[in-house]
Amino acid sequence: TFFYVLLVPLALMGLGAGKWTSDERRMAWFPIFFLMIQGLASSYSVDPRASGFTLWLFFSLGAGFLLGARALKNEFDLQWIGLAWVAGSLLIVENGITQAMGGLEATRQLLYRHPEMAALRPELWHNVESDRIFATFVTPNALGGYIAAAVFAVAAWAATVWKRDEAQDQNPKSVISHQSSVIHFPSDWRNVAVLSFAVALIMMLLSCLWLSQSKGGY
């Protein structure tokens, strides 16, 4: 509830500030169309209360999508959001690997010794009862869904950085050899570092996906 209370004024101010460009108006149709379909589907729901909560979540995601589309005016803004997202992904990977290396078993033994804690958090007991990791998410399937999207996002980010750096690399360093021929040394060390980090992050995410045993994520 506190999250939605904060989101409403933020969305009103962010979406109402300034004129909408033609690109922003076109992008607005994506969440609008999605929310229309979900609203129609919820009218036939077997659990209207649960569908109501889900619709609120979808509305918040749509508002966040449009706020991002309006706020990200240049590459610098996107870079900071991307770095924060990568840091969050590393935290998720660290948490998931820790669970796989004994964290789940330690939590399971704790709940065995204190059944009153398991009674207070039945969903936690359900998660630790199996060997499926869930990292910082509520269920292993939620973790699998995040990783399924994150792998493509990391790959796209690495490709974008690589292409941008190659476009900017117009002045390679050169030295003159003893035979007076020019030897070029393109400054591509950053490209290699970014690509290596992206591959490592993707491999760690895929490892967490495998340990989550999320068939939907597979």
Side-chain angles (χ1 to χ4, degrees):
T1 303
F2 181 69
F3 167 75
Y4 292 117
V5 169
L6 290 178
L7 179 64
V8 168
L10 179 64
L12 290 175
M13 290 187 295
L15 299 179
K19 295 182 62 177
W20 285 61
T21 65
S22 57
D23 288 337
E24 291 170 348
R25 286 194 294 270
R26 281 195 294 269
M27 293 186 72
W29 282 107
F30 289 104
I32 290 174
F33 183 67
F34 173 75
L35 291 172
M36 288 173 57
I37 293 176
Q38 297 305 318
L40 289 173
S42 66
S43 62
Y44 296 94
S45 174
V46 296
D47 190 346
R49 185 172 180 271
S51 296
F53 286 125
T54 305
L55 274 179
W56 273 107
L57 172 63
F58 286 163
F59 273 111
S60 68
L61 295 175
F65 174 81
L66 291 176
L67 285 171
R70 301 209 70 198
L72 298 177
K73 299 300 184 183
N74 53 54
E75 189 176 347
F76 181 77
D77 297 334
L78 185 61
Q79 182 180 21
W80 279 106
I81 290 181
L83 289 174
W85 179 83
V86 168
S89 296
L90 288 173
L91 175 64
I92 291 169
V93 165
E94 187 274 334
N95 201 287
I97 293 176
T98 300
Q99 287 180 349
M101 299 297 290
L104 273 181
E105 180 61 29
T107 305
R108 190 181 299 120
Q109 294 302 322
L110 175 65
L111 294 179
Y112 275 133
R113 293 192 299 269
H114 301 279
E116 68 278 3
M117 295 176 61
L120 290 174
R121 295 283 304 279
E123 72 281 358
L124 177 61
W125 172 249
H126 178 73
N127 285 337
V128 301
E129 198 175 16
S130 66
D131 289 328
R132 300 175 62 188
I133 68 169
F134 52 93
T136 59
F137 291 82
V138 292
T139 64
N141 286 331
L143 172 62
Y146 173 81
I147 294 173
V151 167
F152 293 100
V154 174
W157 166 70
T160 301
V161 172
W162 187 282
K163 289 180 179 179
R164 183 185 67 241
D165 285 357
E166 283 194 342
Q168 292 177 350
D169 191 16
Q170 300 295 331
N171 299 310
K173 296 179 181 179
S174 61
V175 297
I176 306 300
S177 69
H178 64 280
Q179 295 179 347
S180 298
S181 60
V182 179
I183 304 175
H184 295 283
F185 295 95
S187 57
D188 59 352
W189 63 269
R190 184 186 176 192
N191 292 341
V192 175
V194 167
L195 185 60
S196 300
F197 176 78
V199 170
L201 181 56
I202 287 176
M203 295 303 294
M204 290 187 291
L205 286 168
L206 290 177
S207 299
C208 288
L209 175 61
W210 176 258
L211 294 169
S212 72
Q213 301 177 36
S214 171
K215 294 181 178 64
Y218 295 162

